[in-house]
Structures are given as structure tokens and as C-alpha cells.
Amino acid sequence: MLPLWFADKDDYGRIGSGAVVETIGVHDLLSGRPDATVRVKVTTRAGESLEIATKHTMSSDQLKWLRAGSALNYIRSQLGKR
């Protein structure tokens, strides 16, 4: 799970019931780009699309865990290198 916060709290009200939500830029974040941003593309029931800026508060260790699938997977991979 990728915890994201809307950069503008007023954007919470822009997503309605039945909207389709997709993320843009997650690959950049997971590939280690320090300046990576993740945007959320929202498509409403009426077919209108909008993009919402987000931010995350994950540490570099937490991003490593996310890339590995979990903290346990990451720890296991590090133990195997010894």
C-alpha cells in the first residue's frame, strides 16, 4: 500500500462515488528518484478527468520495503547477501 496525501486538502472533495482513480509516477518513486512526484488521475462517472498532486511521507527505508514488497522481504534479501 502506498500512503499518499493530497497536496491540497480541498482536493478530497473532488473525488466522487464511482470515480476511477489511478496513480501516475509511482515507477519514478520506486526507482529511487528523490524528486519523484506521484499524481492521482481521477476519471468521474461522466468521463471527465482531472489530476491531483500528492505527496508521501515515507522514509528511504520505507521506500526500500515497498520496493521489496514488505519489510520482511527486504530484511530477508539483506541477510542473503552476507
Side-chain angles (χ1 to χ4, degrees):
M1 179 177 290
L2 178 62
L4 296 173
W5 296 75
F6 290 125
D8 179 353
K9 66 179 180 176
D10 291 334
D11 285 333
Y12 282 96
R14 298 177 71 189
I15 301 176
S17 175
V20 175
V21 179
E22 61 185 289
T23 55
I24 301 168
V26 173
H27 182 269
D28 294 336
L29 178 66
L30 295 178
S31 66
R33 274 193 40 209
D35 61 339
T37 59
V38 177
R39 295 174 315 284
V40 174
K41 180 180 176 187
V42 178
T43 304
T44 66
R45 283 183 168 181
E48 299 173 26
S49 292
L50 58 113
E51 284 191 20
I52 297 173
T54 67
K55 55 187 176 179
H56 72 86
T57 57
M58 292 184 297
S59 68
S60 61
D61 282 338
Q62 289 170 322
L63 287 170
K64 290 176 189 175
W65 302 340
L66 185 65
R67 280 193 282 284
S70 72
L72 291 176
N73 287 347
Y74 178 75
I75 292 167
R76 184 180 306 119
S77 74
Q78 297 307 298
L79 291 174
K81 292 180 180 180
R82 294 180 179 183

